[in-house]
Amino acid sequence: MIQITPDFLEELRGHQRFQDLLQELDVSDEDQLDLFETLDVDGGGSIDLEELIMGITKLRGDARRADIVAVGLVLRNVQSALNKFESAVSSTLDRQESAIRELQALPLL
């Protein structure tokens, strides 16, 4: 499987033919600047050819209403997950603080 690194993608961006192709695909100049970071969703440091093609396809043109709604729904899910995580961490810290106070109250031998 072909893996594309940030350096290789940057090298591709240096070729006029690749820039022309991105423009023909209606990928904005702003999206081109951080193209690798946008496409490397999992943060693995490389993307395969399929991720490149699928990602560029999604970057084409202006955002549609469905895209904006989808991002809003994902954001809502992330917020909910973060709230649950925050509650769990807070509860764990409260229990740890209580256990520490109990240990401090024990007489030393």
Side-chain angles (χ1 to χ4, degrees), residues 63-81:
R64 298 176 308 219
R65 182 177 173 91
D67 296 329
I68 295 168
V69 169
V71 168
L73 292 172
V74 168
L75 182 58
R76 207 174 302 160
N77 276 344
V78 169
Q79 284 178 316
S80 176

Side-chain angles (χ1 to χ4, degrees), residues 17-40:
R17 188 168 175 203
F18 186 72
Q19 291 176 12
D20 292 343
L21 177 63
L22 290 176
Q23 292 215 335
E24 286 176 29
L25 291 171
D26 201 21
V27 176
S28 72
D29 292 339
E30 296 84 28
D31 287 335
Q32 290 181 35
L33 291 176
D34 57 356
L35 185 59
F36 187 85
E37 290 77 16
T38 301
L39 300 177
D40 186 22

Side-chain angles (χ1 to χ4, degrees), residues 53-71:
I53 293 168
M54 295 302 291
I56 287 177
T57 301
K58 290 179 181 179
L59 288 174
R60 294 180 67 184
D62 294 331
R64 298 176 308 219
R65 182 177 173 91
D67 296 329
I68 295 168
V69 169
V71 168

Side-chain angles (χ1 to χ4, degrees), residues 76-87:
R76 207 174 302 160
N77 276 344
V78 169
Q79 284 178 316
S80 176
L82 282 174
N83 286 339
K84 289 177 184 176
F85 177 74
E86 180 183 23
S87 293

